[in-house]
Short mmCIF file of all heavy atoms in Angstrom, two decimals:
data_model
loop_
_atom_site.label_atom_id
_atom_site.label_comp_id
_atom_site.label_asym_id
_atom_site.label_seq_id
_atom_site.Cartn_x
_atom_site.Cartn_y
_atom_site.Cartn_z
N ALA A 346 -14.27 -1.24 -0.04
CA ALA A 346 -13.36 -2.15 0.65
C ALA A 346 -11.95 -1.57 0.64
O ALA A 346 -11.35 -1.41 -0.43
CB ALA A 346 -13.37 -3.52 -0.04
N GLU A 347 -11.43 -1.25 1.82
CA GLU A 347 -10.05 -0.78 1.92
C GLU A 347 -9.15 -2.01 1.87
O GLU A 347 -8.80 -2.60 2.87
CB GLU A 347 -9.85 0.01 3.23
CG GLU A 347 -8.50 0.70 3.34
CD GLU A 347 -7.45 -0.17 4.02
OE1 GLU A 347 -7.53 -0.37 5.23
OE2 GLU A 347 -6.54 -0.66 3.29
N ASP A 348 -8.83 -2.42 0.63
CA ASP A 348 -8.11 -3.67 0.39
C ASP A 348 -6.62 -3.42 0.16
O ASP A 348 -6.04 -3.89 -0.81
CB ASP A 348 -8.72 -4.43 -0.79
CG ASP A 348 -8.79 -3.57 -2.06
OD1 ASP A 348 -8.63 -2.33 -1.95
OD2 ASP A 348 -9.01 -4.14 -3.14
N LEU A 349 -6.02 -2.69 1.09
CA LEU A 349 -4.59 -2.39 0.98
C LEU A 349 -3.80 -3.36 1.85
O LEU A 349 -4.35 -4.03 2.71
CB LEU A 349 -4.32 -0.95 1.41
CG LEU A 349 -5.15 0.13 0.70
CD1 LEU A 349 -4.82 1.51 1.25
CD2 LEU A 349 -4.94 0.08 -0.81
N GLY A 350 -2.50 -3.42 1.63
CA GLY A 350 -1.66 -4.30 2.42
C GLY A 350 -1.44 -5.64 1.75
O GLY A 350 -1.38 -5.74 0.52
N VAL A 351 -1.32 -6.70 2.55
CA VAL A 351 -1.05 -8.04 2.04
C VAL A 351 -2.37 -8.64 1.55
O VAL A 351 -3.18 -9.13 2.34
CB VAL A 351 -0.44 -8.94 3.13
CG1 VAL A 351 -0.15 -10.33 2.58
CG2 VAL A 351 0.83 -8.31 3.68
N ILE A 352 -2.59 -8.58 0.24
CA ILE A 352 -3.86 -9.03 -0.33
C ILE A 352 -3.65 -10.37 -1.02
O ILE A 352 -2.84 -10.51 -1.94
CB ILE A 352 -4.41 -7.99 -1.32
CG1 ILE A 352 -4.59 -6.65 -0.61
CG2 ILE A 352 -5.73 -8.47 -1.91
CD1 ILE A 352 -5.45 -6.70 0.63
N THR A 353 -4.40 -11.36 -0.57
CA THR A 353 -4.32 -12.72 -1.08
C THR A 353 -5.60 -13.04 -1.87
O THR A 353 -6.59 -12.30 -1.78
CB THR A 353 -4.13 -13.70 0.08
OG1 THR A 353 -5.09 -13.37 1.12
CG2 THR A 353 -2.73 -13.57 0.68
N PRO A 354 -5.58 -14.12 -2.64
CA PRO A 354 -6.76 -14.43 -3.47
C PRO A 354 -8.07 -14.52 -2.70
O PRO A 354 -9.13 -14.17 -3.23
CB PRO A 354 -6.39 -15.77 -4.10
CG PRO A 354 -4.90 -15.74 -4.19
CD PRO A 354 -4.45 -15.04 -2.94
N ASP A 355 -8.04 -14.96 -1.44
CA ASP A 355 -9.29 -15.06 -0.69
C ASP A 355 -9.88 -13.69 -0.39
O ASP A 355 -11.11 -13.53 -0.33
CB ASP A 355 -9.07 -15.84 0.61
CG ASP A 355 -8.00 -15.23 1.50
OD1 ASP A 355 -7.07 -14.59 0.97
OD2 ASP A 355 -8.07 -15.41 2.73
N VAL A 356 -9.02 -12.67 -0.25
CA VAL A 356 -9.50 -11.31 -0.01
C VAL A 356 -10.18 -10.77 -1.27
O VAL A 356 -11.28 -10.19 -1.22
CB VAL A 356 -8.36 -10.37 0.41
CG1 VAL A 356 -8.89 -8.98 0.69
CG2 VAL A 356 -7.62 -10.93 1.62
N VAL A 357 -9.54 -10.98 -2.41
CA VAL A 357 -10.11 -10.54 -3.69
C VAL A 357 -11.44 -11.24 -3.95
O VAL A 357 -12.43 -10.62 -4.38
CB VAL A 357 -9.12 -10.82 -4.84
CG1 VAL A 357 -9.75 -10.49 -6.18
CG2 VAL A 357 -7.83 -10.03 -4.63
N ALA A 358 -11.50 -12.54 -3.68
CA ALA A 358 -12.73 -13.30 -3.90
C ALA A 358 -13.86 -12.78 -3.01
O ALA A 358 -15.01 -12.66 -3.46
CB ALA A 358 -12.48 -14.78 -3.64
N LEU A 359 -13.54 -12.46 -1.77
CA LEU A 359 -14.55 -11.94 -0.85
C LEU A 359 -15.07 -10.59 -1.32
O LEU A 359 -16.28 -10.34 -1.35
CB LEU A 359 -13.97 -11.84 0.56
CG LEU A 359 -14.89 -11.27 1.64
CD1 LEU A 359 -16.09 -12.16 1.86
CD2 LEU A 359 -14.11 -11.07 2.95
N ARG A 360 -14.16 -9.72 -1.69
CA ARG A 360 -14.54 -8.39 -2.18
C ARG A 360 -15.43 -8.49 -3.41
O ARG A 360 -16.50 -7.87 -3.50
CB ARG A 360 -13.28 -7.59 -2.50
CG ARG A 360 -13.49 -6.17 -2.99
CD ARG A 360 -12.24 -5.66 -3.68
NE ARG A 360 -11.99 -6.39 -4.92
CZ ARG A 360 -10.81 -6.46 -5.52
NH1 ARG A 360 -9.75 -5.87 -4.98
NH2 ARG A 360 -10.68 -7.12 -6.66
N ASP A 361 -15.01 -9.31 -4.37
CA ASP A 361 -15.74 -9.40 -5.63
C ASP A 361 -17.07 -10.13 -5.50
O ASP A 361 -18.01 -9.87 -6.26
CB ASP A 361 -14.86 -10.08 -6.69
CG ASP A 361 -13.67 -9.23 -7.10
OD1 ASP A 361 -13.65 -8.04 -6.71
OD2 ASP A 361 -12.78 -9.75 -7.78
N ALA A 362 -17.16 -11.05 -4.53
CA ALA A 362 -18.41 -11.79 -4.35
C ALA A 362 -19.56 -10.86 -3.98
O ALA A 362 -20.73 -11.15 -4.29
CB ALA A 362 -18.23 -12.85 -3.26
N PHE A 363 -19.24 -9.74 -3.33
CA PHE A 363 -20.28 -8.80 -2.92
C PHE A 363 -20.26 -7.51 -3.75
O PHE A 363 -21.03 -6.58 -3.47
CB PHE A 363 -20.15 -8.50 -1.43
CG PHE A 363 -20.47 -9.69 -0.57
CD1 PHE A 363 -19.48 -10.61 -0.25
CD2 PHE A 363 -21.76 -9.93 -0.14
CE1 PHE A 363 -19.78 -11.73 0.51
CE2 PHE A 363 -22.07 -11.05 0.62
CZ PHE A 363 -21.07 -11.96 0.94
N GLY A 364 -19.40 -7.47 -4.75
CA GLY A 364 -19.38 -6.32 -5.66
C GLY A 364 -18.81 -5.06 -5.07
O GLY A 364 -19.02 -3.97 -5.60
N PHE A 365 -18.04 -5.17 -3.97
CA PHE A 365 -17.48 -3.97 -3.36
C PHE A 365 -16.32 -3.44 -4.19
O PHE A 365 -15.45 -4.21 -4.59
CB PHE A 365 -16.95 -4.28 -1.95
CG PHE A 365 -17.97 -4.80 -0.98
CD1 PHE A 365 -17.58 -5.65 0.05
CD2 PHE A 365 -19.30 -4.43 -1.07
CE1 PHE A 365 -18.50 -6.14 0.96
CE2 PHE A 365 -20.24 -4.90 -0.17
CZ PHE A 365 -19.84 -5.77 0.85
N PRO A 366 -16.26 -2.14 -4.43
CA PRO A 366 -15.07 -1.58 -5.07
C PRO A 366 -13.89 -1.61 -4.11
O PRO A 366 -14.04 -1.38 -2.91
CB PRO A 366 -15.47 -0.14 -5.40
CG PRO A 366 -16.53 0.19 -4.39
CD PRO A 366 -17.27 -1.10 -4.14
N GLY A 367 -12.70 -1.93 -4.65
CA GLY A 367 -11.49 -1.85 -3.86
C GLY A 367 -10.84 -0.50 -4.03
O GLY A 367 -11.34 0.38 -4.75
N MET A 368 -9.71 -0.29 -3.35
CA MET A 368 -9.00 0.97 -3.39
C MET A 368 -7.71 0.87 -4.18
O MET A 368 -7.04 -0.17 -4.17
CB MET A 368 -8.68 1.45 -1.96
CG MET A 368 -9.88 1.99 -1.22
SD MET A 368 -9.52 2.41 0.52
CE MET A 368 -8.08 3.47 0.35
N ARG A 369 -7.38 1.95 -4.87
CA ARG A 369 -6.11 2.08 -5.56
C ARG A 369 -5.47 3.38 -5.08
O ARG A 369 -6.15 4.41 -4.96
CB ARG A 369 -6.30 2.12 -7.08
CG ARG A 369 -7.00 0.89 -7.65
CD ARG A 369 -6.12 -0.34 -7.53
NE ARG A 369 -6.76 -1.53 -8.06
CZ ARG A 369 -7.46 -2.40 -7.35
NH1 ARG A 369 -7.61 -2.20 -6.05
NH2 ARG A 369 -7.99 -3.46 -7.91
N VAL A 370 -4.18 3.34 -4.80
CA VAL A 370 -3.48 4.50 -4.24
C VAL A 370 -2.31 4.84 -5.15
O VAL A 370 -1.39 4.04 -5.32
CB VAL A 370 -2.99 4.22 -2.81
CG1 VAL A 370 -2.25 5.42 -2.25
CG2 VAL A 370 -4.16 3.84 -1.90
N LEU A 371 -2.34 6.04 -5.73
CA LEU A 371 -1.30 6.41 -6.70
C LEU A 371 0.10 6.42 -6.09
O LEU A 371 1.07 6.11 -6.77
CB LEU A 371 -1.62 7.78 -7.30
CG LEU A 371 -2.65 7.76 -8.45
CD1 LEU A 371 -3.06 9.18 -8.82
CD2 LEU A 371 -2.06 7.05 -9.67
N GLN A 372 0.21 6.76 -4.83
CA GLN A 372 1.55 6.78 -4.22
C GLN A 372 2.19 5.39 -4.16
O GLN A 372 3.40 5.28 -3.99
CB GLN A 372 1.49 7.38 -2.81
CG GLN A 372 1.29 8.89 -2.81
CD GLN A 372 1.40 9.47 -1.41
OE1 GLN A 372 2.09 8.94 -0.56
NE2 GLN A 372 0.71 10.58 -1.17
N PHE A 373 1.38 4.34 -4.29
CA PHE A 373 1.92 2.98 -4.28
C PHE A 373 2.18 2.45 -5.69
O PHE A 373 2.53 1.28 -5.85
CB PHE A 373 0.94 2.03 -3.59
CG PHE A 373 0.70 2.32 -2.14
CD1 PHE A 373 -0.50 1.97 -1.54
CD2 PHE A 373 1.67 2.92 -1.35
CE1 PHE A 373 -0.73 2.22 -0.19
CE2 PHE A 373 1.46 3.19 -0.01
CZ PHE A 373 0.24 2.84 0.57
N ALA A 374 2.04 3.31 -6.71
CA ALA A 374 2.02 2.82 -8.09
C ALA A 374 3.38 2.71 -8.75
O ALA A 374 3.53 1.96 -9.72
CB ALA A 374 1.12 3.74 -8.94
N PHE A 375 4.39 3.43 -8.28
CA PHE A 375 5.55 3.69 -9.13
C PHE A 375 6.81 2.94 -8.71
O PHE A 375 7.93 3.43 -8.87
CB PHE A 375 5.80 5.20 -9.17
CG PHE A 375 4.61 5.96 -9.69
CD1 PHE A 375 3.85 6.76 -8.83
CD2 PHE A 375 4.22 5.84 -11.01
CE1 PHE A 375 2.73 7.44 -9.29
CE2 PHE A 375 3.10 6.52 -11.49
CZ PHE A 375 2.35 7.31 -10.63
N GLY A 376 6.63 1.72 -8.23
CA GLY A 376 7.79 0.91 -7.86
C GLY A 376 8.54 0.32 -9.03
O GLY A 376 9.63 -0.23 -8.86
N GLY A 377 7.97 0.42 -10.23
CA GLY A 377 8.67 -0.05 -11.43
C GLY A 377 8.02 -1.24 -12.11
O GLY A 377 8.39 -1.60 -13.23
N ASP A 378 7.05 -1.87 -11.47
CA ASP A 378 6.37 -3.03 -12.05
C ASP A 378 5.20 -2.55 -12.90
O ASP A 378 4.24 -1.96 -12.38
CB ASP A 378 5.86 -3.94 -10.93
CG ASP A 378 5.11 -5.16 -11.45
OD1 ASP A 378 5.04 -5.34 -12.68
OD2 ASP A 378 4.60 -5.94 -10.62
N PRO A 379 5.22 -2.78 -14.23
CA PRO A 379 4.13 -2.31 -15.08
C PRO A 379 2.80 -3.01 -14.80
O PRO A 379 1.75 -2.54 -15.25
CB PRO A 379 4.62 -2.60 -16.50
CG PRO A 379 5.62 -3.70 -16.34
CD PRO A 379 6.28 -3.46 -15.01
N ASN A 380 2.85 -4.11 -14.07
CA ASN A 380 1.62 -4.83 -13.72
C ASN A 380 1.06 -4.41 -12.36
O ASN A 380 0.07 -4.99 -11.90
CB ASN A 380 1.87 -6.34 -13.72
CG ASN A 380 2.25 -6.85 -15.10
OD1 ASN A 380 1.61 -6.49 -16.09
ND2 ASN A 380 3.29 -7.66 -15.17
N ASN A 381 1.70 -3.45 -11.71
CA ASN A 381 1.24 -2.96 -10.41
C ASN A 381 -0.22 -2.51 -10.52
O ASN A 381 -0.57 -1.68 -11.36
CB ASN A 381 2.13 -1.79 -9.98
CG ASN A 381 1.81 -1.27 -8.59
OD1 ASN A 381 0.70 -1.38 -8.10
ND2 ASN A 381 2.80 -0.67 -7.95
N GLN A 382 -1.09 -3.05 -9.63
CA GLN A 382 -2.51 -2.73 -9.72
C GLN A 382 -2.82 -1.27 -9.41
O GLN A 382 -3.90 -0.77 -9.72
CB GLN A 382 -3.31 -3.61 -8.77
CG GLN A 382 -3.09 -3.32 -7.29
CD GLN A 382 -4.13 -3.99 -6.41
OE1 GLN A 382 -4.94 -4.78 -6.87
NE2 GLN A 382 -4.12 -3.66 -5.12
N ASP A 383 -1.86 -0.54 -8.79
CA ASP A 383 -2.09 0.86 -8.48
C ASP A 383 -1.75 1.80 -9.63
O ASP A 383 -2.00 3.01 -9.53
CB ASP A 383 -1.30 1.25 -7.24
CG ASP A 383 -1.84 0.58 -5.98
OD1 ASP A 383 -2.99 0.87 -5.61
OD2 ASP A 383 -1.13 -0.24 -5.37
N LEU A 384 -1.18 1.27 -10.72
CA LEU A 384 -0.96 2.08 -11.92
C LEU A 384 -2.28 2.23 -12.67
O LEU A 384 -3.00 1.24 -12.89
CB LEU A 384 0.07 1.41 -12.83
CG LEU A 384 1.54 1.57 -12.43
CD1 LEU A 384 2.42 0.64 -13.26
CD2 LEU A 384 1.98 3.03 -12.59
N PRO A 385 -2.64 3.44 -13.07
CA PRO A 385 -3.96 3.67 -13.67
C PRO A 385 -4.29 2.78 -14.85
O PRO A 385 -5.47 2.43 -15.04
CB PRO A 385 -3.89 5.14 -14.07
CG PRO A 385 -3.01 5.75 -13.04
CD PRO A 385 -1.94 4.71 -12.79
N HIS A 386 -3.30 2.37 -15.65
CA HIS A 386 -3.65 1.55 -16.81
C HIS A 386 -4.08 0.13 -16.42
O HIS A 386 -4.59 -0.62 -17.26
CB HIS A 386 -2.49 1.50 -17.83
CG HIS A 386 -1.30 0.71 -17.40
ND1 HIS A 386 -0.19 1.30 -16.83
CD2 HIS A 386 -1.03 -0.61 -17.46
CE1 HIS A 386 0.72 0.36 -16.57
NE2 HIS A 386 0.23 -0.81 -16.94
N ASN A 387 -3.92 -0.22 -15.14
CA ASN A 387 -4.35 -1.54 -14.67
C ASN A 387 -5.65 -1.49 -13.88
O ASN A 387 -6.09 -2.52 -13.36
CB ASN A 387 -3.25 -2.16 -13.80
CG ASN A 387 -2.01 -2.51 -14.60
OD1 ASN A 387 -2.10 -2.98 -15.73
ND2 ASN A 387 -0.84 -2.26 -14.01
N TYR A 388 -6.28 -0.33 -13.77
CA TYR A 388 -7.50 -0.23 -12.98
C TYR A 388 -8.67 -0.95 -13.66
O TYR A 388 -8.70 -1.10 -14.89
CB TYR A 388 -7.92 1.23 -12.79
CG TYR A 388 -7.00 2.05 -11.93
CD1 TYR A 388 -7.22 3.42 -11.76
CD2 TYR A 388 -5.91 1.50 -11.27
CE1 TYR A 388 -6.39 4.20 -10.98
CE2 TYR A 388 -5.07 2.27 -10.48
CZ TYR A 388 -5.31 3.62 -10.36
OH TYR A 388 -4.48 4.40 -9.59
N VAL A 389 -9.62 -1.32 -12.84
CA VAL A 389 -10.93 -1.75 -13.32
C VAL A 389 -11.92 -0.66 -12.93
O VAL A 389 -11.66 0.13 -12.02
CB VAL A 389 -11.34 -3.10 -12.69
CG1 VAL A 389 -10.40 -4.21 -13.13
CG2 VAL A 389 -11.39 -3.00 -11.16
N PRO A 390 -13.07 -0.57 -13.61
CA PRO A 390 -14.01 0.51 -13.27
C PRO A 390 -14.51 0.45 -11.83
O PRO A 390 -14.74 1.49 -11.22
CB PRO A 390 -15.15 0.30 -14.28
CG PRO A 390 -14.49 -0.36 -15.45
CD PRO A 390 -13.45 -1.27 -14.86
N ASN A 391 -14.70 -0.76 -11.30
CA ASN A 391 -15.25 -0.87 -9.95
C ASN A 391 -14.13 -0.70 -8.92
O ASN A 391 -13.69 -1.64 -8.25
CB ASN A 391 -15.94 -2.22 -9.75
CG ASN A 391 -16.76 -2.25 -8.47
OD1 ASN A 391 -17.30 -1.22 -8.04
ND2 ASN A 391 -16.89 -3.42 -7.86
N ALA A 392 -13.67 0.53 -8.82
CA ALA A 392 -12.56 0.85 -7.92
C ALA A 392 -12.67 2.31 -7.49
O ALA A 392 -13.32 3.13 -8.15
CB ALA A 392 -11.22 0.61 -8.60
N VAL A 393 -12.03 2.62 -6.37
CA VAL A 393 -11.93 3.99 -5.87
C VAL A 393 -10.46 4.34 -5.82
O VAL A 393 -9.68 3.67 -5.13
CB VAL A 393 -12.57 4.13 -4.48
CG1 VAL A 393 -12.48 5.57 -3.99
CG2 VAL A 393 -14.01 3.65 -4.48
N VAL A 394 -10.06 5.36 -6.57
CA VAL A 394 -8.65 5.74 -6.62
C VAL A 394 -8.42 6.95 -5.72
O VAL A 394 -9.22 7.89 -5.68
CB VAL A 394 -8.20 6.04 -8.07
CG1 VAL A 394 -9.06 7.09 -8.73
CG2 VAL A 394 -6.73 6.47 -8.08
N TYR A 395 -7.31 6.89 -5.00
CA TYR A 395 -6.87 7.98 -4.11
C TYR A 395 -5.49 8.43 -4.54
O TYR A 395 -4.64 7.60 -4.90
CB TYR A 395 -6.77 7.49 -2.66
CG TYR A 395 -8.08 7.15 -2.01
CD1 TYR A 395 -8.74 5.96 -2.32
CD2 TYR A 395 -8.66 8.00 -1.08
CE1 TYR A 395 -9.95 5.62 -1.71
CE2 TYR A 395 -9.87 7.68 -0.46
CZ TYR A 395 -10.50 6.49 -0.79
OH TYR A 395 -11.70 6.17 -0.19
N THR A 396 -5.23 9.73 -4.49
CA THR A 396 -3.84 10.16 -4.65
C THR A 396 -3.03 9.65 -3.47
O THR A 396 -1.91 9.18 -3.61
CB THR A 396 -3.76 11.70 -4.74
OG1 THR A 396 -4.41 12.27 -3.59
CG2 THR A 396 -4.41 12.20 -6.01
N GLY A 397 -3.60 9.72 -2.28
CA GLY A 397 -3.04 9.17 -1.05
C GLY A 397 -4.16 9.10 -0.04
O GLY A 397 -5.24 9.65 -0.26
N THR A 398 -3.94 8.43 1.07
CA THR A 398 -4.96 8.31 2.10
C THR A 398 -4.53 9.08 3.34
O THR A 398 -3.45 9.69 3.36
CB THR A 398 -5.19 6.84 2.48
OG1 THR A 398 -4.08 6.38 3.27
CG2 THR A 398 -5.32 5.96 1.24
N HIS A 399 -5.33 9.00 4.39
CA HIS A 399 -4.97 9.68 5.65
C HIS A 399 -3.71 9.08 6.27
O HIS A 399 -3.08 9.71 7.11
CB HIS A 399 -6.12 9.60 6.65
CG HIS A 399 -6.45 8.21 7.07
ND1 HIS A 399 -7.35 7.42 6.39
CD2 HIS A 399 -5.99 7.44 8.09
CE1 HIS A 399 -7.43 6.23 6.98
NE2 HIS A 399 -6.61 6.22 8.01
N ASP A 400 -3.34 7.86 5.86
CA ASP A 400 -2.12 7.22 6.39
C ASP A 400 -0.88 7.54 5.57
O ASP A 400 0.24 7.28 6.02
CB ASP A 400 -2.30 5.69 6.43
CG ASP A 400 -3.14 5.23 7.60
OD1 ASP A 400 -3.20 5.94 8.62
OD2 ASP A 400 -3.75 4.15 7.49
N ASN A 401 -1.07 8.07 4.36
CA ASN A 401 0.07 8.42 3.51
C ASN A 401 0.58 9.82 3.82
O ASN A 401 -0.14 10.65 4.38
CB ASN A 401 -0.33 8.38 2.03
CG ASN A 401 -0.63 6.99 1.53
OD1 ASN A 401 -1.78 6.57 1.51
ND2 ASN A 401 0.41 6.28 1.11
N ASP A 402 1.80 10.07 3.38
CA ASP A 402 2.27 11.44 3.32
C ASP A 402 1.44 12.17 2.28
O ASP A 402 0.71 11.55 1.48
CB ASP A 402 3.76 11.44 2.93
CG ASP A 402 4.48 12.71 3.37
OD1 ASP A 402 3.82 13.72 3.65
OD2 ASP A 402 5.73 12.67 3.42
N THR A 403 1.51 13.49 2.25
CA THR A 403 0.89 14.22 1.15
C THR A 403 1.63 13.85 -0.14
O THR A 403 2.75 13.32 -0.10
CB THR A 403 0.98 15.72 1.37
OG1 THR A 403 2.37 16.11 1.32
CG2 THR A 403 0.39 16.12 2.72
#
Side-chain angles (χ1 to χ4, degrees):
E347 188 269 288
D348 55 346
L349 306 178
V351 181
I352 302 305
T353 48
D355 58 331
V356 182
V357 175
L359 178 64
R360 181 198 67 201
D361 292 349
F363 292 88
F365 301 150
M368 286 175 52
R369 302 292 180 266
V370 179
L371 278 171
Q372 286 187 29
F373 296 152
F375 302 109
D378 179 4
N380 296 314
N381 185 333
Q382 69 166 8
D383 291 296
L384 282 169
H386 70 264
N387 292 321
Y388 292 175
V389 296
N391 192 31
V393 181
V394 55
Y395 292 76
T396 54
T398 74
H399 64 271
D400 283 334
N401 292 95
D402 203 341
T403 66

